[in-house]
Amino acid sequence: MTLSASARSLALFGAASALALLLDQPAQAHGIAHGGIAAGFLHPISGVDHLLLLVGIGAAASCISAQLLLWALAGAIGGGVFGAMGGTLPAQEFLAALAITAVAVLVLRSLRSQQSPQLGACAALVAAAVAVHAMLHGLEAPADGSALLWWLGAFSGSVLVSGGSFLALRRLPLAWTRGVCVLLAVCGGVAALGPIGLLMR
């Protein structure tokens, strides 16, 4: 079996698994989190939408610029503080899902383009996408004495996924990054539009 065939098989299996998880979650899957550092660490990993975005950030950094990881951090800090202060956005769950697709499409366009993408525009999109998800983290974060440890755990989990994706994808052929981003684009679209379909039943 060729590498490209293996990548396609992996992408199909991943797509089926991710879509099943997304469809199994309610439209408003976010609530108030509890616990300390372990709960915080698992929070961005156990939430499928957060996990997919973090993989997308790693993919973007691997093929566009590692500087995007720093812009993602800036977006995480800004969005987290905004959410912790009670800030919200209209249709925030829809925007969070759409952010996954936006980052994936950014990477796919970059891979197709013969020219280097404008780093400023890429950085703005990545920071905004992460900020929306971090805002949801801020809204969910515990308000008691465990908050600091929870945030430390959430940060560690996020760095592990995005950094691990970055390191893995930069060592693999670009076909893998392309396959992962096609999967992310589809899953983000399903997560964004799935609740609308449920409402129309």
Side-chain angles (χ1 to χ4, degrees):
M1 182 179 290
T2 65
L3 181 60
S4 59
S6 298
R8 281 195 295 272
S9 298
L10 180 64
L12 288 173
F13 175 76
S17 301
L19 287 173
L21 286 171
L22 285 170
L23 292 173
D24 189 50
Q25 292 189 341
Q28 303 292 331
H30 301 98
I32 301 300
H34 301 282
I37 191 167
F41 180 84
L42 292 174
H43 190 76
I45 298 174
S46 60
V48 178
D49 55 343
H50 297 312
L51 178 64
L52 293 178
L53 178 71
L54 291 171
V55 172
I57 297 301
S62 72
C63 72
I64 297 174
S65 171
Q67 292 182 34
L68 293 180
L69 294 174
L70 296 177
W71 285 100
L73 176 60
I77 293 172
V81 170
F82 181 68
M85 294 175 63
T88 60
L89 292 173
Q92 57 197 21
E93 298 281 347
F94 173 78
L95 292 174
L98 203 59
I100 301 167
T101 298
V103 171
V105 169
L106 172 70
V107 176
L108 292 171
R109 289 191 63 184
S110 171
L111 290 173
R112 290 186 61 184
S113 177
Q114 301 296 323
Q115 301 176 340
S116 298
Q118 294 184 347
L119 185 58
C122 296
L125 190 149
V126 164
V130 173
V132 173
H133 281 256
M135 178 198 68
L136 294 176
H137 285 318
L139 292 170
E140 299 157 355
D144 56 20
S146 66
L148 183 59
L149 287 176
W150 187 91
W151 276 110
L152 180 60
F155 173 75
S156 301
S158 299
V159 168
L160 177 68
V161 175
S162 57
S165 301
F166 164 70
L167 292 174
L169 289 174
R170 74 183 303 188
R171 285 169 171 75
L172 291 169
L174 287 178
W176 284 80
T177 301
R178 185 176 291 107
V180 165
C181 287
V182 168
L183 167 63
L184 294 177
V186 171
C187 289
V190 168
L193 301 177
I196 297 175
L198 291 175
L199 291 174
M200 295 177 65
R201 285 184 179 179

